[in-house]
């Protein structure tokens, strides 16, 4: 028995050390600049992919240690469609086709690295916000319909406020809304990687025309003041329609699904709830 306890304690120590190691590497690679390749833009992509990848590994390992099991076969996959519609709608189609934005770095390798960068960010942030933080909030609020809705809203607000350090209040506002979108992908599919995919597609489409110094491929500069009326109106209509759809299905979330979700979050509902 003592030997078994010793092995378990050693395993716990190793798990904690590995998680801390990847957390440390995530912070380290944010400050230490390494020249992997001579191409400046590609080097930025590779650096960010490695950094965010370390964070993603730390997040996945921490979720497993906290008994958060959002890694199984996706459920209700069709509910991903409205999420992906919003993600794709984040692309500035009208501004691109009327010539206001243009692609400056269109080689296949550049696009592939940019996509991997967006995916690494998606996995990292989803593990933290829709994995760990959502689980914590689920354990704080009541397990009834109202408590579940508050958990959903609070997780979105936390995600938005985490971006306040970017110094852009507008970004905080729309990030709260996108946080709700990513949370919806998780609660319906019960899979963290589905939310990461939506997150990655959203970033890929929205940041596609960022200038190279901001890791994009074009000349848009991320300046939403440059978006024309056609793009803005289309985005507004799609966002309102999908937003109403999402809020309706969150409020009407079946109790059976909630029980299954909370079990996967490591927060089982009690029978009296």
């Amino acid at each position: 028995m003592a030997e078994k306890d010793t092995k378990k304690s050693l395993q716990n120590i190793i798990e904690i050390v590995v998680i801390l190691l990847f957390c440390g590497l995530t912070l380290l690679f944010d400050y230490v600049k390494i020249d992997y390749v001579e191409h400046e833009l590609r080097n930025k992509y590779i650096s960010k992919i490695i950094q965010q990848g370390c964070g993603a590994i730390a997040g996945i390992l921490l979720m497993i240690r906290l008994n958060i099991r959002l890694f199984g076969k996706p459920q209700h996959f069709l509910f991903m469609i409205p999420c992906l519609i919003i993600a794709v709608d984040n692309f500035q189609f009208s501004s691109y086709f009327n010539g206001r934005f243009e692609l400056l770095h269109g080689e296949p390798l550049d696009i592939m690295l940019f996509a991997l960068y967006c995916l690494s960010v998606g996995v990292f942030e989803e593990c933290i916000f829709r994995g760990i933080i959502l689980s914590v909030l689920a354990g704080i609020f009541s397990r009834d319909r109202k408590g579940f809705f508050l958990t959903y809203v609070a997780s979105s607000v936390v995600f938005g406020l985490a971006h306040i350090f970017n110094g852009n209040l507008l970004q905080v506002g729309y990030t709260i809304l996108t946080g709700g979108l990513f949370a919806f992908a998780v609660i319906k599919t019960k899979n963290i990687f589905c939310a990461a995919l939506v997150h990655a597609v959203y970033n890929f489409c929205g940041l596609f025309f960022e200038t190279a110094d901001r890791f994009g491929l074009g000349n848009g500069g991320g300046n939403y003041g440059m978006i024309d009326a056609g793009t803005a109106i289309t985005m507004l209509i799609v966002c309102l329609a999908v937003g109403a759809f999402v809020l309706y299905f969150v409020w009407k979330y079946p109790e059976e699904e909630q029980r299954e979700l909370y079990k996967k979050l490591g927060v089982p509902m009690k029978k009296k709830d």
Side-chain angles (χ1 to χ4, degrees), residues 116-251:
L116 287 174
Y117 161 62
C118 292
L119 183 60
S120 65
V121 173
V123 175
F124 176 38
E125 294 193 356
E126 289 311 305
C127 286
I128 301 302
F129 291 98
R130 256 64 61 180
I132 298 168
I133 292 179
L134 182 64
S135 175
V136 171
L137 292 172
I140 293 175
F141 292 102
S142 62
R143 315 299 203 269
D144 56 13
R145 184 187 298 270
K146 181 180 178 181
F148 172 74
F149 192 79
L150 288 174
T151 298
Y152 169 82
V153 172
S155 70
S156 305
V157 172
V158 170
F159 182 63
L161 292 178
H163 291 75
I164 198 170
F165 299 105
N166 294 343
N168 187 337
L169 292 180
L170 176 62
Q171 184 180 6
V172 172
Y174 71 72
T175 302
I176 290 175
L177 300 179
T178 56
L181 184 73
F182 306 148
F184 180 71
V186 164
I187 67 175
K188 292 305 296 185
T189 66
K190 317 292 190 306
N191 186 289
I192 198 71
F193 297 118
C194 287
L197 175 62
V198 175
H199 195 148
V201 174
Y202 184 88
N203 283 356
F204 182 88
C205 293
L207 302 177
F208 198 79
F209 291 110
E210 288 273 338
T211 50
D213 64 327
R214 292 173 61 93
F215 310 114
L217 298 171
N219 70 338
N223 186 348
Y224 281 81
M226 293 181 65
I227 294 179
D228 60 21
T231 300
I233 292 173
T234 302
M235 285 183 173
L236 179 61
I237 293 173
V238 173
C239 287
L240 288 176
V242 174
F245 174 90
V246 167
L247 289 176
Y248 174 80
F249 279 99
V250 170
W251 181 251

Side-chain angles (χ1 to χ4, degrees), residues 5-216:
D5 290 339
T6 301
K7 288 182 178 180
K8 187 175 182 180
S9 298
L10 181 60
Q11 180 181 345
N12 287 334
I13 293 173
I14 293 174
E15 289 177 358
I16 293 172
V17 169
V18 172
I19 291 172
L20 290 176
L21 173 63
F22 279 103
C23 288
L25 289 174
T26 303
L27 294 173
L28 178 65
F29 286 130
D30 194 34
Y31 293 99
V32 176
K33 307 304 177 184
I34 301 175
D35 293 328
Y36 300 99
V37 295
E38 294 183 1
H39 192 286
E40 182 180 1
L41 180 61
R42 293 172 187 172
N43 191 71
K44 288 181 179 180
Y45 288 148
I46 294 172
S47 298
K48 283 296 181 179
I49 290 169
I50 292 175
Q51 184 221 0
Q52 297 292 312
C54 288
I57 293 173
I60 291 171
L61 293 176
L62 186 55
M63 285 177 63
I64 293 173
R65 180 167 177 80
L66 295 175
N67 199 34
I68 302 172
R69 306 293 181 177
L70 295 172
F71 306 111
K73 182 180 178 180
Q75 304 176 20
H76 308 291
F77 198 75
L78 288 179
F79 280 92
M80 286 279 289
I81 294 176
C83 299
L84 290 172
I85 288 175
I86 287 288
V88 174
D89 187 54
N90 200 34
F91 187 87
Q92 298 92 340
F93 292 101
S94 182
S95 297
Y96 172 64
F97 288 116
N98 67 24
R100 299 189 71 172
F101 291 175
E102 63 178 328
L103 189 60
L104 301 180
H105 305 276
E107 294 185 25
L109 181 57
D110 296 328
I111 296 176
M112 183 188 72
L113 288 173
F114 179 61
L116 287 174
Y117 161 62
C118 292
L119 183 60
S120 65
V121 173
V123 175
F124 176 38
E125 294 193 356
E126 289 311 305
C127 286
I128 301 302
F129 291 98
R130 256 64 61 180
I132 298 168
I133 292 179
L134 182 64
S135 175
V136 171
L137 292 172
I140 293 175
F141 292 102
S142 62
R143 315 299 203 269
D144 56 13
R145 184 187 298 270
K146 181 180 178 181
F148 172 74
F149 192 79
L150 288 174
T151 298
Y152 169 82
V153 172
S155 70
S156 305
V157 172
V158 170
F159 182 63
L161 292 178
H163 291 75
I164 198 170
F165 299 105
N166 294 343
N168 187 337
L169 292 180
L170 176 62
Q171 184 180 6
V172 172
Y174 71 72
T175 302
I176 290 175
L177 300 179
T178 56
L181 184 73
F182 306 148
F184 180 71
V186 164
I187 67 175
K188 292 305 296 185
T189 66
K190 317 292 190 306
N191 186 289
I192 198 71
F193 297 118
C194 287
L197 175 62
V198 175
H199 195 148
V201 174
Y202 184 88
N203 283 356
F204 182 88
C205 293
L207 302 177
F208 198 79
F209 291 110
E210 288 273 338
T211 50
D213 64 327
R214 292 173 61 93
F215 310 114

